[in-house]
Amino acid sequence: MVVLARHHGERTVRSDEIATLLGAPRNYLAKTLNTLARRQLLVSARGPGGGFSLARSPELITIADIVDVFADQRPANVRCLHNDAPCDARHPCAAHRRWSAITDQGREPLLHTTIAQLCEPPTRIES
């Protein structure tokens, strides 16, 4: 997504070009890009001038948007921390509310960090 953000509004980028740049397996990357296109985060075009591009401005795509595409593929039935049973918010165990708060806090940066921010040059730290 960061590679595509760097070319946003300029051109499409072929999956093999991204794979080479990142050192990623071509097959795996192609499946990942196609999944993101099916979920309308990317636009794909076939043919000689084809490739992938962001479906929206990089300022409008958060890390959470991307993570959520693949989080849907994990089982939703989270196990309880106290016993071998599904976690049940309607009848929570002693750890449920606190653990939920921890996981929610971990998600906050994903909700508020955009792909555009990941492309910004690092800020200089004054000493």
Side-chain angles (χ1 to χ4, degrees):
M1 296 295 283
V2 171
V3 170
L4 294 172
R6 285 194 240 135
H7 297 287
H8 184 67
E10 297 171 5
R11 67 180 179 95
T12 60
V13 183
R14 294 183 6 214
S15 63
D16 61 337
E17 182 181 347
I18 299 169
T20 300
L21 183 67
L22 300 177
R26 292 183 194 303
N27 240 3
Y28 177 77
L29 184 66
K31 289 178 185 178
T32 301
L33 293 170
N34 284 316
T35 299
L36 291 166
R38 278 193 304 278
R39 293 293 293 272
Q40 299 178 341
L41 287 173
L42 298 181
V43 174
S44 66
R46 293 180 180 246
F52 291 89
S53 60
L54 297 179
R56 301 189 306 256
S57 170
E59 291 84 6
L60 300 176
I61 302 172
T62 66
I63 296 173
D65 293 330
I66 300 162
V67 168
D68 290 348
V69 168
F70 301 100
D72 286 352
Q73 297 175 5
R74 288 185 292 151
N77 194 11
V78 178
R79 306 305 287 178
C80 179
L81 295 174
H82 285 270
N83 59 46
D84 186 23
C87 189
D88 184 1
R90 289 170 287 147
H91 306 343
C93 69
H96 184 85
R97 285 187 183 93
R98 186 165 299 255
W99 188 252
S100 293
I102 290 169
T103 57
D104 289 347
Q105 286 176 353
R107 185 166 166 71
E108 278 301 308
L110 304 179
L111 292 168
H112 301 290
T113 303
T114 67
I115 297 305
Q117 290 170 319
L118 296 178
C119 295
E120 293 173 355
T123 57
R124 189 169 167 223
I125 300 173
E126 298 293 326
S127 47

